[in-house]
Amino acid sequence: MKLERKHALILLAIAVWNVVTYLRFIKALVDDSGRPTGYYVAHTILIIVNLLIAALLGTWGVRAYKSARVNASQNSSA
């Protein structure tokens, strides 16, 4: 399946959204106190997983964007 530029931009937008929302979530977690340790462990794992997903989607988005750019330049020169 070929990813077009619009797909790449969607992947990048989702990655940025995940990072922004989970950075806010980290701040809220740090400011919160008096919770059981399990609460912090569970939410820390959730944050790590979602930031890894954001990194993966961002990587795919950048690769798709570069590929779409290369394909567009090849099609215009042909």
Side-chain angles (χ1 to χ4, degrees):
M1 175 175 127
K2 280 189 178 179
L3 294 177
E4 297 176 11
R5 181 176 279 173
K6 63 184 174 184
H7 300 118
L9 293 176
I10 290 171
L11 288 171
L12 290 170
I14 293 170
V16 169
W17 177 258
N18 271 356
V19 170
V20 168
T21 56
Y22 277 91
L23 288 178
R24 174 67 186 111
F25 190 50
I26 290 169
K27 183 184 179 315
L29 193 62
V30 168
D31 292 343
D32 194 14
S33 63
R35 301 270 184 162
T37 304
Y39 175 84
Y40 293 109
V41 170
H43 285 85
T44 301
I45 291 170
L46 179 68
I47 290 167
I48 290 169
V49 168
N50 278 289
L51 291 177
L52 289 173
I53 290 171
L56 179 66
L57 291 177
T59 301
W60 286 349
V62 168
R63 287 182 183 176
Y65 189 81
K66 287 180 180 179
S67 176
R69 233 177 54 193
V70 168
N71 288 339
S73 67
Q74 287 175 352
N75 289 339
S76 66
S77 65

